[in-house]
Amino acid sequence: MEIKEFLDYLESERNYSSRTIEEYGDDLREFETFFTGLDAGLTWENIDSDVIRDWMGSMMDKGNIATSINRRLSAVRSFYRFALSRGLVEADPAHGVKGPKKDKPLPQFVREADMDALLDESMWNLERYADVRARTIILMIYETGVRTAELTALDDAAVDFSACRIKVNGKGGKQRMVPFGDELRCALEAYMRKRDEAVVRQSPALFLSDKGERLTYWQVRSDVKGNLSRVCTLKKLSPHVLRHTFATAMLNNGAGLESVKKLLGHSKLTTTEMYTHTTFEQLKKVYESAHPRA
């Protein structure tokens, strides 16, 4: 769909100011860049509300305030109302999506006990390729904190088993080395054996679909969402929640903020600092339940 057609409508029929029209255009192009970056197959016509929520989560990660996020969300809402009225889309994924409150919400994360339960091998049919792949993906995000786009971009060559580390291509073309432990090493080795037995390779990618092609954003999200729902009741069950869970677990277990920043691939420490609020909330709960005068 043409964003220009919408902007012309704002000018000719709604009499919006040139500044507002320019801001709307910038916001829409920014969102388009975001969702096409997640998956080349995503378009204005086929995205759903979860993609819009993921976009808002991404803006929160970058330190954007609620007012700024809500303004950009307003642009997307207006665009979809226009597109729906013109018959350019069949549904409005922005309808019902709520923007953040002025007080920035804390990032959601999965409790450690729930992650332990989900990753227990008894929860999976490890004879099935799909189960082995889903468990390995969840374990990798939980143990390394990689973004979904980073995970789907990984090739076999990015994994160094001797040093237990992966080479990640992050945002802006920045590379970083992320270590992993013995549990993930064993899981990856088992996954690769099962993968090479189960599918005919069509790609050098580490994570392959049943057809042997590189796994997409949608497929990873489906694997994660479907399986997280088995152990927790968070409203948002996405790969990004696992990234939040990684960061929160690291800080709760004594990792320094600078180290977590490097592992996550954040460019600014202020982006990582949001997780300190989460860990402080956890400390408050422990204090209130344990201290006799709390």
Side-chain angles (χ1 to χ4, degrees), residues 197-218:
E197 294 171 1
V199 302
V200 178
R201 176 180 286 275
Q202 306 293 331
S203 164
L206 175 60
F207 291 106
L208 298 179
S209 69
D210 293 347
K211 296 180 180 179
E213 299 168 345
R214 187 179 298 275
L215 216 59
T216 67
Y217 164 82
W218 286 110

Side-chain angles (χ1 to χ4, degrees), residues 91-111:
D92 177 5
H95 181 71
V97 175
K98 295 182 179 179
K101 296 179 180 179
K102 288 186 179 180
D103 289 333
K104 187 175 170 182
L106 296 173
Q108 291 186 311
F109 62 95
V110 183
R111 296 185 309 159

Side-chain angles (χ1 to χ4, degrees), residues 1 37 73 87 90 111 140 149 164 170 176-177 185 203 239 280 290:
M1 291 188 293
L73 177 61
E90 295 181 357
R111 296 185 309 159
M140 173 167 274
C164 280
R176 67 185 188 277
M177 302 300 294
R185 177 181 58 78
S203 164
F280 181 69

